[in-house]
Amino acid sequence: MARRKRPTMNDVAQHAGVALRTVSRVVNEDPTVGAEFVNRVRAAISVLGYTPDERARQLRGGRSGLIGAAVRNLSAGHPVLGSLDAAARAHGFTVHATATADEVDREREVVISMCGRHLDGIVLEPVGDNHQYLGPELDAGTPIVAFDRPAGGITVDTVVSDNAAGIGTAFRHLRAHGHRRIAYIGDQERIFTGHERAAAFRACMAATGDPVAGLTHPGAVEPARIAAALDAVLHGPDPATALITGNASTTFEVLRRLGPAAATLAIVGFDDFPLADLLRPALTVIAQDSETIGRTAIDLLRHRAADHARPVQTVTVGVELVVRGSGERSPTR
Amino acid sequence: MARRKRPTMNDVAQHAGVALRTVSRVVNEDPTVGAEFVNRVRAAISVLGYTPDERARQLRGGRSGLIGAAVRNLSAGHPVLGSLDAAARAHGFTVHATATADEVDREREVVISMCGRHLDGIVLEPVGDNHQYLGPELDAGTPIVAFDRPAGGITVDTVVSDNAAGIGTAFRHLRAHGHRRIAYIGDQERIFTGHERAAAFRACMAATGDPVAGLTHPGAVEPARIAAALDAVLHGPDPATALITGNASTTFEVLRRLGPAAATLAIVGFDDFPLADLLRPALTVIAQDSETIGRTAIDLLRHRAADHARPVQTVTVGVELVVRGSGERSPTR
DNA sequence: TTGAAAGCGCTAACAT
DNA sequence: ATGTTAGCGCTTTCAA
């Protein structure tokens, strides 16, 4: 298998005995080409195995039809990425997803690489909190949309979930089932969603007038940290009877740590996940509307592309309580 | 926010009062540029907000550092994609993942788009069974690797799991726990892995000499079809006491359908999944080695890039039985 | 309806 | 050590 030179449009033109311009017309389905010429060119294309060079084509101008998505992670399930892709496709775009690996430097690297390729838009699940390097790209008119968390240092269209409402709903749900000692274990507060959810929880607690000390536990999502938080919450003098977990991985760790004891506690998890209904007890959750988040991100992108002067907006997408059993138990003490 | 023209290398050169070539040198960190010039150019770059155009740069030749991955799905968890990305990164590449949505036409579309952008390599999770359109790309020397299933109509490096060994292991495991009536419910046979696993199951059954009728159920992964298969398997005159499920989604559907009755049956699922240990009973599975699959795919890509004449190879990656409880029950009748 | 020529933004021979 | 010039493969005025 000798490495053969890739045929260019010029090669096709020569092979077909026509001008370069004619090949270009055929490739771009320009109707003003004679049938005989079209055949000759098509034949040459097929014989040579010619495929157009998108780089050159786009260098000359025009849309790429490509949207870059810089997301934290490619291996874990990513429902928003799925709906982003579907929505993009529905509008004739293709999504290229790249992982930022939750690293600030890597995020900058992949996003700058996207900029260099002049895509039709960039969707960002921000990791860092300084995205000023995107200024020139923004100036050049590339639509940029942040989701899940806001971008930092630049003003771009943004889609986030209503974290505060979600925590509020979970809290009231547990209160309605008679719980007064409700604890929260979640993500680190330096992470946007971690902060929003912890803060909302604190606000809920404060509003009740009940004692609140020792019930709010933000921090790293690591077995040891979560085990410690659980200990603090369950084995103190006035143990919690209900628990709100701040994201899916925290929920998993909590369930794993509690084992059968999970059944003695009311639990509402932030974030739905595929097997939540198959767990025993099935898990009551606050589900984010990833379908709407993805679709909205693409809509914002398209509207921005259509009108660069329109005001920048942040869309907050509602969340939903999904009742499955774990959150409806009454306090046992 | 007026849409400003994107500054080019030429603009930088003029602003800095140097030649275009000098800017190119500075951008590419050529050491033969005088310190004073470097400063002038750097300043101009920063003032103008210049970013290099990768399309133009790569049009001129050289590597892009980009590997395209065409995978079936972006939203469900995709462990191989994660390890692919990690392995690629370790070798200085960036993975662009695009969804084929399990549609043959879409697959062709996204793969052809990848070809047009002249990436450094393409990793494919094949959907269709005719990839002859990749011939020219192969001839041009682009490394292409298929994983999970083989590509069709072309000869490319391939990484697959040892499906037959996995089914064999599951089968022998259940036999060792006393089961003689073992059933299989899995994916459609027109799908490569579906066929491989069903065929391996049939071979295992045949080798026992026991009656085999009505125990092998390949088909669409849909609630109704799976419910029917379960009925046939469990409510016949000689019901199965053990079950092998052919992939993760089938496992989910089976568990969902069985509900508490799942505890009366020995079950081994093909494919591990994040919450398998938290289910009650915890699920015994045949786990694919996605880490090795991803790493091997990138290795094959790199070796192909280094030596286009090397023989094409198919690597079969071993699978592992993970014992968790569901597969170790004895027959109850 | 077809073709010749310019140029997109960049890198790389080839001067100087 | 810096600058000039010719393309990379394509689209696009502008002629014929």
Side-chain angles (χ1 to χ4, degrees), chain B residues 281-293:
Chain B
L283 212 76
T284 293
V285 298
I286 299 295
Q288 300 193 53
D289 186 352
S290 23
E291 207 284 326
T292 299
I293 295 176

Side-chain angles (χ1 to χ4, degrees), chain A residues 237-255:
Chain A
D238 190 7
T241 62
L243 181 61
I244 297 176
T245 50
N247 61 28
S249 11
T250 301
T251 306
F252 298 170
E253 260 327 309
V254 162
L255 293 178

Side-chain angles (χ1 to χ4, degrees), chain B:
Chain B
M1 192 189 298
R3 187 164 176 174
R4 196 163 31 173
K5 182 196 169 295
R6 217 184 271 272
T8 72
M9 197 171 258
N10 217 330
D11 297 331
V12 175
Q14 285 197 292
H15 189 100
V18 301
L20 177 62
R21 184 70 182 92
T22 303
V23 179
S24 172
R25 286 203 175 92
V26 171
V27 168
N28 293 289
E29 287 169 330
D30 183 323
T32 73
V33 186
E36 176 51 29
F37 280 76
V38 172
N39 289 338
R40 286 236 298 280
V41 171
R42 290 247 170 84
I45 286 178
S46 139
V47 167
L48 297 175
Y50 167 78
T51 51
D53 187 323
E54 288 298 330
R55 301 168 305 179
R57 177 178 276 185
Q58 284 158 34
L59 185 56
R60 204 62 189 74
R63 6 199 83 285
S64 65
L66 266 29
I67 291 175
V71 299
R72 308 210 281 154
N73 189 307
L74 247 26
S75 66
H78 203 132
V80 173
L81 192 47
S83 70
L84 215 49
D85 182 62
R89 247 191 99 179
H91 293 283
F93 293 104
T94 299
V95 168
H96 285 189
T98 309
T100 58
D102 254 326
E103 297 171 19
V104 176
D105 291 348
R106 180 62 173 170
E107 173 185 52
R108 214 168 49 89
E109 214 175 290
V110 308
V111 169
I112 285 184
S113 150
M114 285 178 182
C115 293
R117 294 185 307 126
H118 294 213
L119 308 178
D120 289 349
I122 295 178
V123 179
L124 196 57
E125 182 180 29
V127 174
D129 47 15
N130 181 5
H131 301 90
Q132 290 184 5
Y133 58 84
L134 280 171
E137 194 66 18
L138 232 31
D139 288 347
T142 304
I144 300 179
V145 174
F147 76 92
D148 198 47
R149 335 175 182 179
I154 52 172
T155 310
V156 297
D157 297 302
T158 305
V159 198
V160 290
S161 276
D162 197 339
N163 294 302
I167 291 292
T169 302
F171 192 84
R172 284 190 302 277
H173 186 68
L174 292 169
R175 293 278 294 190
H177 284 273
H179 295 274
R180 289 302 172 267
R181 295 289 293 172
I182 304 174
Y184 168 89
I185 301 181
D187 213 341
Q188 316 186 48
E189 290 215 63
R190 64 166 186 76
I191 291 171
F192 176 78
T193 51
H195 173 72
E196 283 226 315
R197 294 170 194 176
F201 179 79
R202 283 196 196 91
C204 287
M205 289 298 291
T208 64
D210 291 347
V212 302
L215 289 176
T216 314
H217 293 265
V221 183
E222 286 161 10
R225 203 281 299 183
I226 288 175
L230 273 175
D231 273 356
V233 155
L234 297 178
H235 303 312
D238 192 4
T241 60
L243 181 61
I244 298 176
T245 50
N247 59 29
S249 11
T250 300
T251 306
F252 297 171
E253 260 326 311
V254 161
L255 293 178
R256 202 158 270 141
R257 174 75 184 184
L258 287 176
T264 66
L265 203 60
I267 302 179
V268 178
F270 211 112
D271 283 346
D272 201 2
F273 50 91
L275 261 46
D277 61 324
L278 287 184
L279 295 176
R280 291 296 166 258
L283 212 76
T284 293
V285 298
I286 299 295
Q288 300 193 53
D289 186 352
S290 23
E291 207 284 326
T292 299
I293 295 176
R295 184 167 29 77
T296 304
I298 296 299
D299 285 347
L300 287 172
L301 214 56
R302 291 171 43 235
H303 295 146
R304 173 68 49 207
D307 175 9
H308 291 264
R310 86 198 281 270
V312 171
Q313 55 175 298
T314 292
V315 177
T316 302
V317 175
V319 298
E320 192 192 0
L321 176 74
V322 182
V323 171
R324 294 205 182 97
S326 73
E328 292 71 47
R329 285 192 215 98
S330 299
T332 51
R333 12 185 184 203

Side-chain angles (χ1 to χ4, degrees), chain A residues 275-311:
Chain A
L275 263 44
D277 61 323
L278 288 183
L279 295 176
R280 292 293 168 263
L283 212 77
T284 293
V285 298
I286 299 294
Q288 301 193 55
D289 186 353
S290 25
E291 206 285 326
T292 299
I293 295 175
R295 185 167 30 75
T296 304
I298 296 298
D299 285 346
L300 288 172
L301 214 56
R302 291 171 43 235
H303 295 147
R304 174 68 48 208
D307 175 10
H308 290 264
R310 84 197 283 271

Side-chain angles (χ1 to χ4, degrees), chain A residues 82-278:
Chain A
S83 70
L84 214 51
D85 183 62
R89 247 190 100 178
H91 293 283
F93 293 103
T94 299
V95 168
H96 285 190
T98 309
T100 59
D102 255 325
E103 296 171 20
V104 176
D105 290 347
R106 180 62 174 171
E107 173 185 52
R108 213 168 49 88
E109 214 174 291
V110 307
V111 170
I112 285 185
S113 150
M114 285 176 183
C115 294
R117 294 185 306 123
H118 295 213
L119 307 177
D120 290 348
I122 295 178
V123 179
L124 197 56
E125 181 180 29
V127 174
D129 48 15
N130 181 5
H131 300 89
Q132 290 183 6
Y133 58 85
L134 280 171
E137 195 64 20
L138 231 32
D139 289 346
T142 304
I144 299 179
V145 174
F147 76 92
D148 199 48
R149 335 175 183 179
I154 52 172
T155 310
V156 296
D157 298 302
T158 304
V159 198
V160 290
S161 278
D162 196 340
N163 295 303
I167 292 292
T169 301
F171 193 83
R172 285 190 302 277
H173 186 68
L174 292 168
R175 293 280 293 191
H177 283 273
H179 294 275
R180 290 299 172 270
R181 295 290 292 171
I182 304 174
Y184 168 90
I185 302 182
D187 213 341
Q188 316 185 48
E189 291 215 63
R190 65 165 187 77
I191 291 171
F192 177 76
T193 50
H195 173 71
E196 283 227 314
R197 294 170 194 175
F201 179 78
R202 284 196 195 91
C204 287
M205 289 297 291
T208 64
D210 292 346
V212 303
L215 290 175
T216 313
H217 292 266
V221 182
E222 285 160 9
R225 203 281 299 181
I226 288 177
L230 273 175
D231 272 357
V233 154
L234 298 178
H235 303 312
D238 190 7
T241 62
L243 181 61
I244 297 176
T245 50
N247 61 28
S249 11
T250 301
T251 306
F252 298 170
E253 260 327 309
V254 162
L255 293 178
R256 202 159 271 141
R257 175 73 183 185
L258 286 176
T264 65
L265 202 61
I267 303 178
V268 177
F270 211 111
D271 283 347
D272 200 3
F273 50 91
L275 263 44
D277 61 323
L278 288 183

